[in-house]
Amino acid sequence: EILGTYKRMMAECQQIATKVSELTLERDEHKLVIDQLSTLEPERKAFRLIGGILVEKTVGEALPAVQQNYEGLKELLSKLDETLKTKDAERKVYKEKHGIMTQEERENMMKKQGA
């Protein structure tokens, strides 16, 4: 039961970390698009993928939407990062409280005791 709870806590941390890395890539892509669109004239044609449909807009119309998405991703990433830190701290406390060790930690402890 204790080990099952610990494994669930670890899985939750891994899921959050995976989501953070996915969103970081998406945020970086948005930044690249913003950098490129910023150099173009506002009346130039731009195409944007919205819900799987390619929509024609102007740079002046598309840029604010991309910037808004970028800001939203930044906010979400900072919240997820805080959540991950909190969950990881809870996991570490639980691990210490119940004396849970990974195989690697157990082997290192045995080496230190043997030395």
Side-chain angles (χ1 to χ4, degrees), residues 19-29 73 77:
K19 194 65 177 172
V20 165
S21 83
E22 287 172 15
L23 290 174
T24 299
L25 288 173
E26 196 170 324
R27 182 203 60 200
D28 293 346
E29 285 178 11
L73 284 169
L77 275 167

PDB file of all heavy atoms in Angstrom, residues 19-29 73 77:
ATOM      1  N   LYS A  19       4.351  16.869 -19.468  1.00  0.00           N
ATOM      2  CA  LYS A  19       3.497  17.958 -19.953  1.00  0.00           C
ATOM      3  C   LYS A  19       4.286  19.262 -20.023  1.00  0.00           C
ATOM      4  O   LYS A  19       4.152  20.037 -20.972  1.00  0.00           O
ATOM      5  CB  LYS A  19       2.263  18.107 -19.042  1.00  0.00           C
ATOM      6  CG  LYS A  19       1.190  18.961 -19.632  1.00  0.00           C
ATOM      7  CD  LYS A  19       0.622  18.295 -20.875  1.00  0.00           C
ATOM      8  CE  LYS A  19      -0.506  19.084 -21.457  1.00  0.00           C
ATOM      9  NZ  LYS A  19      -0.936  18.579 -22.744  1.00  0.00           N
ATOM     10  N   VAL A  20       5.118  19.507 -19.015  1.00  0.00           N
ATOM     11  CA  VAL A  20       5.952  20.721 -19.005  1.00  0.00           C
ATOM     12  C   VAL A  20       6.872  20.726 -20.214  1.00  0.00           C
ATOM     13  O   VAL A  20       7.008  21.757 -20.887  1.00  0.00           O
ATOM     14  CB  VAL A  20       6.760  20.827 -17.686  1.00  0.00           C
ATOM     15  CG1 VAL A  20       7.876  21.843 -17.800  1.00  0.00           C
ATOM     16  CG2 VAL A  20       5.843  21.185 -16.527  1.00  0.00           C
ATOM     17  N   SER A  21       7.486  19.594 -20.524  1.00  0.00           N
ATOM     18  CA  SER A  21       8.406  19.577 -21.671  1.00  0.00           C
ATOM     19  C   SER A  21       7.656  19.767 -22.991  1.00  0.00           C
ATOM     20  O   SER A  21       8.140  20.469 -23.883  1.00  0.00           O
ATOM     21  CB  SER A  21       9.260  18.317 -21.678  1.00  0.00           C
ATOM     22  OG  SER A  21       8.590  17.241 -22.245  1.00  0.00           O
ATOM     23  N   GLU A  22       6.454  19.184 -23.116  1.00  0.00           N
ATOM     24  CA  GLU A  22       5.646  19.388 -24.327  1.00  0.00           C
ATOM     25  C   GLU A  22       5.281  20.860 -24.492  1.00  0.00           C
ATOM     26  O   GLU A  22       5.407  21.439 -25.581  1.00  0.00           O
ATOM     27  CB  GLU A  22       4.350  18.582 -24.252  1.00  0.00           C
ATOM     28  CG  GLU A  22       4.492  17.102 -24.423  1.00  0.00           C
ATOM     29  CD  GLU A  22       3.187  16.361 -24.139  1.00  0.00           C
ATOM     30  OE1 GLU A  22       2.105  17.011 -24.081  1.00  0.00           O
ATOM     31  OE2 GLU A  22       3.243  15.127 -23.978  1.00  0.00           O
ATOM     32  N   LEU A  23       4.817  21.462 -23.412  1.00  0.00           N
ATOM     33  CA  LEU A  23       4.391  22.863 -23.475  1.00  0.00           C
ATOM     34  C   LEU A  23       5.575  23.803 -23.685  1.00  0.00           C
ATOM     35  O   LEU A  23       5.426  24.855 -24.304  1.00  0.00           O
ATOM     36  CB  LEU A  23       3.616  23.248 -22.213  1.00  0.00           C
ATOM     37  CG  LEU A  23       2.229  22.604 -22.092  1.00  0.00           C
ATOM     38  CD1 LEU A  23       1.605  22.929 -20.741  1.00  0.00           C
ATOM     39  CD2 LEU A  23       1.314  23.050 -23.216  1.00  0.00           C
ATOM     40  N   THR A  24       6.747  23.422 -23.181  1.00  0.00           N
ATOM     41  CA  THR A  24       7.944  24.231 -23.400  1.00  0.00           C
ATOM     42  C   THR A  24       8.287  24.269 -24.885  1.00  0.00           C
ATOM     43  O   THR A  24       8.612  25.332 -25.431  1.00  0.00           O
ATOM     44  CB  THR A  24       9.132  23.686 -22.588  1.00  0.00           C
ATOM     45  OG1 THR A  24       8.792  23.737 -21.198  1.00  0.00           O
ATOM     46  CG2 THR A  24      10.390  24.499 -22.819  1.00  0.00           C
ATOM     47  N   LEU A  25       8.190  23.119 -25.543  1.00  0.00           N
ATOM     48  CA  LEU A  25       8.439  23.071 -26.988  1.00  0.00           C
ATOM     49  C   LEU A  25       7.427  23.936 -27.733  1.00  0.00           C
ATOM     50  O   LEU A  25       7.789  24.690 -28.650  1.00  0.00           O
ATOM     51  CB  LEU A  25       8.375  21.632 -27.502  1.00  0.00           C
ATOM     52  CG  LEU A  25       9.531  20.731 -27.118  1.00  0.00           C
ATOM     53  CD1 LEU A  25       9.246  19.288 -27.542  1.00  0.00           C
ATOM     54  CD2 LEU A  25      10.818  21.216 -27.742  1.00  0.00           C
ATOM     55  N   GLU A  26       6.161  23.838 -27.336  1.00  0.00           N
ATOM     56  CA  GLU A  26       5.118  24.627 -27.980  1.00  0.00           C
ATOM     57  C   GLU A  26       5.350  26.125 -27.757  1.00  0.00           C
ATOM     58  O   GLU A  26       5.196  26.930 -28.676  1.00  0.00           O
ATOM     59  CB  GLU A  26       3.749  24.209 -27.423  1.00  0.00           C
ATOM     60  CG  GLU A  26       2.605  24.674 -28.277  1.00  0.00           C
ATOM     61  CD  GLU A  26       1.276  24.057 -27.856  1.00  0.00           C
ATOM     62  OE1 GLU A  26       1.245  22.887 -27.441  1.00  0.00           O
ATOM     63  OE2 GLU A  26       0.270  24.780 -27.957  1.00  0.00           O
ATOM     64  N   ARG A  27       5.743  26.484 -26.542  1.00  0.00           N
ATOM     65  CA  ARG A  27       6.040  27.890 -26.237  1.00  0.00           C
ATOM     66  C   ARG A  27       7.191  28.400 -27.111  1.00  0.00           C
ATOM     67  O   ARG A  27       7.135  29.502 -27.661  1.00  0.00           O
ATOM     68  CB  ARG A  27       6.396  28.040 -24.755  1.00  0.00           C
ATOM     69  CG  ARG A  27       6.671  29.499 -24.351  1.00  0.00           C
ATOM     70  CD  ARG A  27       7.516  29.609 -23.126  1.00  0.00           C
ATOM     71  NE  ARG A  27       8.807  28.967 -23.364  1.00  0.00           N
ATOM     72  CZ  ARG A  27       9.622  28.567 -22.399  1.00  0.00           C
ATOM     73  NH1 ARG A  27       9.276  28.705 -21.153  1.00  0.00           N
ATOM     74  NH2 ARG A  27      10.776  28.008 -22.689  1.00  0.00           N
ATOM     75  N   ASP A  28       8.220  27.575 -27.252  1.00  0.00           N
ATOM     76  CA  ASP A  28       9.370  27.960 -28.071  1.00  0.00           C
ATOM     77  C   ASP A  28       8.977  28.138 -29.541  1.00  0.00           C
ATOM     78  O   ASP A  28       9.470  29.051 -30.211  1.00  0.00           O
ATOM     79  CB  ASP A  28      10.497  26.932 -27.939  1.00  0.00           C
ATOM     80  CG  ASP A  28      11.100  26.915 -26.544  1.00  0.00           C
ATOM     81  OD1 ASP A  28      10.852  27.856 -25.757  1.00  0.00           O
ATOM     82  OD2 ASP A  28      11.817  25.939 -26.224  1.00  0.00           O
ATOM     83  N   GLU A  29       8.073  27.280 -30.028  1.00  0.00           N
ATOM     84  CA  GLU A  29       7.587  27.418 -31.403  1.00  0.00           C
ATOM     85  C   GLU A  29       6.822  28.740 -31.562  1.00  0.00           C
ATOM     86  O   GLU A  29       6.985  29.445 -32.560  1.00  0.00           O
ATOM     87  CB  GLU A  29       6.669  26.252 -31.771  1.00  0.00           C
ATOM     88  CG  GLU A  29       7.390  24.961 -32.025  1.00  0.00           C
ATOM     89  CD  GLU A  29       6.444  23.812 -32.331  1.00  0.00           C
ATOM     90  OE1 GLU A  29       5.234  24.043 -32.555  1.00  0.00           O
ATOM     91  OE2 GLU A  29       6.923  22.664 -32.339  1.00  0.00           O
ATOM     92  N   LEU A  73       0.704  30.267 -22.559  1.00  0.00           N
ATOM     93  CA  LEU A  73       1.594  29.125 -22.359  1.00  0.00           C
ATOM     94  C   LEU A  73       2.625  29.413 -21.270  1.00  0.00           C
ATOM     95  O   LEU A  73       2.938  28.535 -20.452  1.00  0.00           O
ATOM     96  CB  LEU A  73       2.310  28.771 -23.667  1.00  0.00           C
ATOM     97  CG  LEU A  73       1.476  28.040 -24.706  1.00  0.00           C
ATOM     98  CD1 LEU A  73       2.209  27.986 -26.045  1.00  0.00           C
ATOM     99  CD2 LEU A  73       1.137  26.636 -24.234  1.00  0.00           C
ATOM    100  N   LEU A  77       2.896  27.226 -17.934  1.00  0.00           N
ATOM    101  CA  LEU A  77       4.162  26.565 -17.610  1.00  0.00           C
ATOM    102  C   LEU A  77       4.643  26.932 -16.215  1.00  0.00           C
ATOM    103  O   LEU A  77       5.145  26.080 -15.486  1.00  0.00           O
ATOM    104  CB  LEU A  77       5.234  26.921 -18.651  1.00  0.00           C
ATOM    105  CG  LEU A  77       5.217  26.062 -19.890  1.00  0.00           C
ATOM    106  CD1 LEU A  77       6.072  26.676 -20.986  1.00  0.00           C
ATOM    107  CD2 LEU A  77       5.679  24.662 -19.574  1.00  0.00           C
TER     108      LEU A  77
END
